[in-house]
Amino acid sequence: VGTLVGLPWLVNPLLHGAGVVLGSRVARRLAGPGAAWLTAPLLALSPALVWQGASRMSHTLCVALALGAVSLVSGPATPARALGAGACLAGLLLTRPMDGLVVGVALAAWVLLRREVRGWLLVVPGVLAGVGAVLLVNLVYEGDPLLFPQHAWFSQGEPPFPSAGFRFDAACNQLGFGADRGCAGTFG
């Protein structure tokens, strides 16, 4: 969207601001106005969130979508809220599938604990649309609905960085812990 209007540098700062507002709204609903007043500056000034808001990576969109879903689910169950939460989760699944899975499972558990399943059933179409879109993207780009483009890219490997020892390979994108996981010479 930002690129279409010639302002790509403005997207993540706006998403960061939206995340602050949504996080404050969630805090107000769950813990009262004092928590909202504390949450807003903490989110606005968090070094990690400020850094992400200044980048062009998907993390800021992920935060805004996750907090959007939590904000909607933290209120009373209505069809509009359920559809909105489903749309947020679908977007989150398309942006960062593992984050979408974690947030979706956490919200489902919360809804189950509150015994409000019936009021939130309209979340399901959004989630299914998100899952279907992720599987379709994987199928189109990789020929396999369960193979993510990121994993396929890492599996091909790449030339090492100019610094000694840095190399991306299939182990960079594997879940889990151990010597056969992570990018050698980097964060892994």
Side-chain angles (χ1 to χ4, degrees):
V1 175
T3 303
L4 292 175
V5 296
L7 300 169
W9 55 270
L10 194 56
V11 173
N12 272 0
L14 290 174
L15 287 171
H16 175 64
V20 170
V21 170
L22 290 167
S24 180
R25 180 179 292 173
V26 169
R28 180 179 304 277
R29 279 204 187 113
L30 299 180
W37 282 103
L38 181 61
T39 300
L42 288 175
L43 288 174
L45 301 174
S46 164
L49 294 177
V50 169
W51 176 77
Q52 291 170 3
S55 75
R56 291 191 186 178
M57 296 190 301
S58 65
H59 298 72
T60 310
L61 176 60
C62 179
V63 169
L65 289 169
L67 286 172
V70 173
S71 177
L72 290 165
V73 172
S74 68
T78 65
R81 284 180 172 279
L83 289 169
C88 286
L89 289 172
L92 188 55
L93 284 164
L94 278 168
T95 306
R96 296 179 59 88
M98 190 60 72
D99 293 348
L101 177 66
V102 169
V103 171
V105 167
L107 288 177
W110 191 20
V111 166
L112 287 171
L113 288 172
R114 292 183 344 199
R115 298 183 181 174
E116 296 179 346
V117 174
R118 191 172 200 154
W120 292 104
L121 287 177
L122 286 176
V123 168
V124 175
V127 171
L128 291 178
V131 169
V134 167
L135 296 175
L136 180 63
V137 166
N138 292 349
L139 181 64
V140 167
Y141 284 107
E142 300 304 329
D144 181 347
L146 301 177
L147 181 62
F148 289 87
Q150 181 180 7
H151 183 73
W153 183 81
F154 278 125
S155 295
Q156 293 175 10
E158 69 171 351
F161 283 107
S163 303
F166 288 161
R167 182 166 181 80
F168 290 126
D169 57 23
C172 288
N173 202 43
Q174 298 287 10
L175 292 177
F177 302 95
D180 62 338
R181 301 286 191 255
C183 302
T186 62
F187 308 111

